[in-house]
Amino acid sequence: AQSVAQPEDQVNVAEGNPLTVKCTYSVSGNPYLFWYVQYPNRGLQFLLKYITGDNLVKGSYGFEAEFNKSQTSFHLKKPSALVSDSALYFCAVRDPRSGGGADGLTFGKGTHLIIQP
Amino acid sequence: NAGVTQTPKFRILKIGQSMTLQCTQDMNHNYMYWYRQDPGMGLKLIYYSVGAGITDKGEVPNGYNVSRSTTEDFPLRLELAAPSQTSVYFCASSPFRGGEAYGYTFGSGTRLTVV
């Protein structure tokens, strides 16, 4: 079974500082990994993904994430935070070898990112 | 290009009532999904569909039913509403299984309260 953990319910960062939102995963094979962002009263928006290749992936709005297979992590990062980055962030995983049963992504519980002016 | 459209945006149901949450996408995506989002619990997959006429259960299907008669539409049916079904419901679609290439496109959600 696949699972994903986001250990922090909330992350507070001052504007202009670097930010990191943590994510660890568990799958039996090589994972497909995703980050989504949710603004208040909106649906989730796709930020970035790791499928294969370079461990550092770049996505929308200046975000990037680093895939670390040995630590089974996929942390979301941004060099300089903006107040407008404040939102709820979800990490998601899928085992590409999964067949039958429940298809689709498994999401973490979400991390509230608060950027303080 | 509207993407994924969900209706209604809000609804209050009484225990035992039934309703259908509508979901329509205009991107010709084969894969469609229904998730529910509970506070502090992330998103749980209710049902999914890999194409017209094909549906399957997700992680939390009890109390729900779906149908997929066309590529565009994927309605979610609640037959006997219970307070445990109070949640925010999201419909999503993808051109590829699991959203590998482009991620999922989500609707804006339906906030359902059962009293």
Side-chain angles (χ1 to χ4, degrees):
Chain A
Q2 58 198 35
S3 65
V4 61
Q6 292 180 243
E8 303 153 317
D9 290 334
Q10 183 169 307
V11 171
N12 295 284
V13 177
E15 186 177 25
N17 283 359
L19 69 87
T20 298
V21 183
K22 296 180 180 178
C23 171
T24 58
Y25 66 89
S26 176
V27 299
S28 56
N30 293 317
Y32 292 165
L33 293 157
F34 304 80
W35 276 102
Y36 286 82
V37 58
Q38 184 181 30
Y39 297 101
N41 300 314
R42 302 289 297 275
L44 279 70
Q45 298 177 27
F46 171 74
L47 269 183
L48 52 78
K49 68 180 187 294
Y50 172 82
I51 304 299
T52 187
D54 195 347
N55 289 343
L56 183 64
V57 295
K58 295 185 183 297
S60 307
Y61 313 120
F63 283 93
E64 58 189 26
E66 184 170 11
F67 170 63
N68 187 318
K69 187 173 183 177
S70 62
Q71 298 185 3
T72 62
S73 66
F74 190 57
H75 301 331
L76 181 70
K77 300 180 179 183
K78 187 173 183 181
S80 179
L82 300 173
V83 172
S84 57
D85 293 330
S86 298
L88 183 59
Y89 290 81
F90 289 96
C91 183
V93 66
R94 192 171 86 79
D95 182 347
R97 300 185 307 172
S98 63
D103 197 9
L105 298 178
T106 297
F107 287 83
K109 295 181 178 182
T111 298
H112 287 277
L113 177 63
I114 299 175
I115 309 301
Q116 296 153 332
Chain B
N1 188 344
V4 177
T5 303
Q6 289 184 239
T7 57
K9 293 189 182 301
F10 305 94
R11 183 73 184 269
I12 298 175
L13 278 182
K14 293 184 178 180
I15 294 172
Q17 287 185 322
S18 62
M19 77 164 294
T20 299
L21 282 66
Q22 301 292 345
C23 175
T24 299
Q25 53 93 6
D26 62 359
M27 298 169 286
N28 202 33
H29 286 176
N30 286 325
Y31 294 87
M32 295 188 74
Y33 307 85
W34 274 106
Y35 285 89
R36 59 177 288 173
Q37 181 182 26
D38 300 316
M41 298 297 292
L43 281 76
K44 302 291 187 182
L45 182 64
I46 305 172
Y47 270 95
Y48 68 98
S49 170
V50 302
I54 306 170
T55 63
D56 207 345
K57 296 177 180 179
E59 184 180 358
V60 289
N62 291 343
Y64 306 95
N65 280 298
V66 294
S67 60
R68 184 93 182 272
S69 58
T70 67
T71 299
E72 295 78 18
D73 300 310
F74 190 41
L76 178 71
R77 178 82 176 165
L78 283 71
E79 292 293 350
L80 291 170
S84 61
Q85 294 178 303
T86 294
S87 188
V88 180
Y89 292 84
F90 287 102
C91 180
S93 73
S94 170
F96 299 97
R97 181 184 181 210
E100 289 95 331
Y102 306 105
Y104 289 179
T105 300
F106 279 85
S108 58
T110 295
R111 186 174 296 273
L112 175 66
T113 302
V114 182
V115 296

